[in-house]
């Protein structure tokens, strides 16, 4: 095992400075990009929900020196699986050590946004030691696509055995962006995977094509990848929903509702409560504008679903969890979402599928790629940077 860890606590003074800076700047102060085209929400509370009081958080850096970490998963013994985009998976242990890279993983295409992405285990990991992960798979001639693989983690945590790629996105494309790639278990032997549409104008159109898996959510058998989609007429059998741009966060809600969030273009980051067989609009419908400033699509298109919530300007939302711990009892059922561009944790207060309030926590912490709730109720996040960190957050004081 290689020891590459640090343990440090932010001072209360620093925490207070960040909180005062957040209050002074106000995350809703900037004008929406869509104002140039008179964009308006479809219903009250769809964007810019009332600001909640920010909770002071104490930060403990558990590990630093990670290279663009992307996926994070707690194991039953309290250890953490961490992926790094260049293609490494490691274990951070409860005794404060970070392992050497786990051997046996497939090759990844780690250009730009590509590489090793999400990692997940099912509730029976203690018995099966089975792990799932998503990655940008090289497919020849400069093309690539998201793939899903599974394997058995050796008892000593050094090797991934019996590795199988169980699913491939189609078609492959010569792009280094918008792989998506979050995994959610449905508790019934299947996994949902949220997929990007590869960014470029040409493949972007495939998000509306039922015979392609770009810009889709799929559901497959977790063991062998057998399709288990929503049964959409004329669609590939694994497709659950269509019309997504670049899914970056996903979680199962306390009531069993599937939630996924996705990047919009310039503005228009979305939070969706996803149901099978529905069309979530991209690229026909969006609250974002083109990076050039030009208008893109309409905000409401017949036959497509509205997001539960959207942001404009975009915080570049990422990993997602629902709070169910004991350290922050007032947060039960709230959604916690990483902010890459905003460099914080976004807490959304929910009433069913209605957002009733928004807070920004730990402002300035860095590009939060993933948020998890530890078994003891603490928040644990990774920051997606050259010198990425694993950070534990607990109540101030």
């Amino acid at each position: 095992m290689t020891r590459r860890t640090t343990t440090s606590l932010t001072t209360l003074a620093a925490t207070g400075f960040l909180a005062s800076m957040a209050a002074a700047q106000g995350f809703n102060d900037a004008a929406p990009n869509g104002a140039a085209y008179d964009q308006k929400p479809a219903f009250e509370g769809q964007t810019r929900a009332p600001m909640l009081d920010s909770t002071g958080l104490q930060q403990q850096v558990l590990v630093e020196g990670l290279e663009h970490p992307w996926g994070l998963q707690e194991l039953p013994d309290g250890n953490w699986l961490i992926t790094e985009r260049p293609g490494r998976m490691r274990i951070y242990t409860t005794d404060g050590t970070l392992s050497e890279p786990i051997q046996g993983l497939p090759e990844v295409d780690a250009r730009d946004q590509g590489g090793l992405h999400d990692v997940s285990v099912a509730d029976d990991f203690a018995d099966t030691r089975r792990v799932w992960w998503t990655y940008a798979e090289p497919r020849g001639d400069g093309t690539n696509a998201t793939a899903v693989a599974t394997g058995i983690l050796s008892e000593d945590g050094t090797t991934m055995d019996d590795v199988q790629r169980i699913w491939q996105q189609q078609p492959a494309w010569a792009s280094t962006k918008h792989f998506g790639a979050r995994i959610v278990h449905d508790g019934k032997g299947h996994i949902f995977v949220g997929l990007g549409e590869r960014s470029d104008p040409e493949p972007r159109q495939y998000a509306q094509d039922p015979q392609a898996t770009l810009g889709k959510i799929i559901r497959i058998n977790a063991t062998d990848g057998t399709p288990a989609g929503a049964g959409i007429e004329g669609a590939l059998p694994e497709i659950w929903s269509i019309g997504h741009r670049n899914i970056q966060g996903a979680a199962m809600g306390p009531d069993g509702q599937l939630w996924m969030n996705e990047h919009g273009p310039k503005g228009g980051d979305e939070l969706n409560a996803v149901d099978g067989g529905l069309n979530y609009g991209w690229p026909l419908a969006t609250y974002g504008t083109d990076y050039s400033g030009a208008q893109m699509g309409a905000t409401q298109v017949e036959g497509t679903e509205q997001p539960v919530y959207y942001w404009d300007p975009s915080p570049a939302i990422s990993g997602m969890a629902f709070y169910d711990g004991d350290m922050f009892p007032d947060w039960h059922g709230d959604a916690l979402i990483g902010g890459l561009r905003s460099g914080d944790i976004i807490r959304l207060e929910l009433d069913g599928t209605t957002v009733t309030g928004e807070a920004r926590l730990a402002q300035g912490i860095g590009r939060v790629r993933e948020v998890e709730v530890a078994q003891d109720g603490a928040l644990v996040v990774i920051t997606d940077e050259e010198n990425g960190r694993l950070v534990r957050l607990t109540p101030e004081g």
Side-chain angles (χ1 to χ4, degrees), residues 23 109 147 150 179 272 292 370:
D109 187 341
T150 185
F179 295 91
N272 286 297
S292 68
E370 177 65 302

Side-chain angles (χ1 to χ4, degrees), residues 304-322:
T304 68
E305 303 301 307
Q306 284 289 307
V308 165
Y309 198 68
Y310 73 87
W311 291 262
D312 182 16
S314 297
I317 52 180
S318 192
M320 179 177 178
F322 283 90

Side-chain angles (χ1 to χ4, degrees), residues 30-52:
N33 296 294
Y37 304 102
D38 198 31
Q39 289 184 358
K40 294 180 174 61
F43 52 85
E44 185 177 356
Q46 193 181 20
T47 191
R48 302 192 178 215
M51 293 173 59
L52 303 173

Side-chain angles (χ1 to χ4, degrees), residues 117-300:
H117 293 134
D118 205 11
V119 62
S120 183
V121 302
D123 292 340
D124 63 358
F125 174 83
D127 297 321
T128 66
R129 299 192 65 80
R130 183 168 291 280
V131 180
W132 290 262
W133 62 94
T134 54
Y135 60 106
E137 179 185 47
R139 300 270 284 272
D141 298 324
T143 68
N144 52 39
T146 298
V148 182
T150 185
I152 305 298
L153 182 63
S154 63
E155 290 290 339
D156 63 3
T158 63
T159 306
M160 199 69 71
D161 298 319
D162 299 327
V163 171
Q164 301 176 59
R165 182 195 64 217
I166 59 173
W167 188 83
Q168 290 178 305
Q169 186 183 40
Q170 301 289 349
W173 207 266
S175 169
T176 61
K177 292 179 169 62
H178 293 195
F179 295 91
R182 289 295 179 191
I183 301 170
V184 178
H185 290 262
D186 72 353
K188 301 175 183 178
H190 307 102
I191 55 173
F192 294 99
V193 184
L195 301 157
E197 38 70 288
R198 312 313 313 283
S199 178
D200 296 335
E202 187 176 353
R204 180 184 303 161
Q205 307 308 315
Y206 282 103
Q208 290 292 323
D209 185 344
Q211 287 296 310
T213 49
L214 280 63
K216 306 296 192 301
I217 295 171
I218 63 160
R219 188 176 73 159
I220 56 176
N221 181 282
T223 303
D224 60 12
T226 303
I232 303 170
E233 185 176 357
L236 294 174
E238 65 264 44
I239 291 176
W240 188 256
S241 60
I242 73 173
H244 301 280
R245 184 173 183 267
N246 188 22
I247 289 169
Q248 293 289 291
M252 195 67 74
D255 59 355
Q257 172 69 57
L258 176 66
W259 294 76
M260 291 205 179
N261 69 54
E262 58 189 274
H263 284 183
K266 189 177 181 180
D269 284 7
E270 292 184 3
L271 175 65
N272 286 297
V274 180
D275 292 318
L278 299 182
N279 184 340
Y280 288 83
W282 180 258
L284 306 175
T286 177
Y287 284 92
T289 59
D290 192 81
Y291 293 107
S292 68
Q295 189 169 8
M296 294 187 72
T299 57
Q300 300 178 47

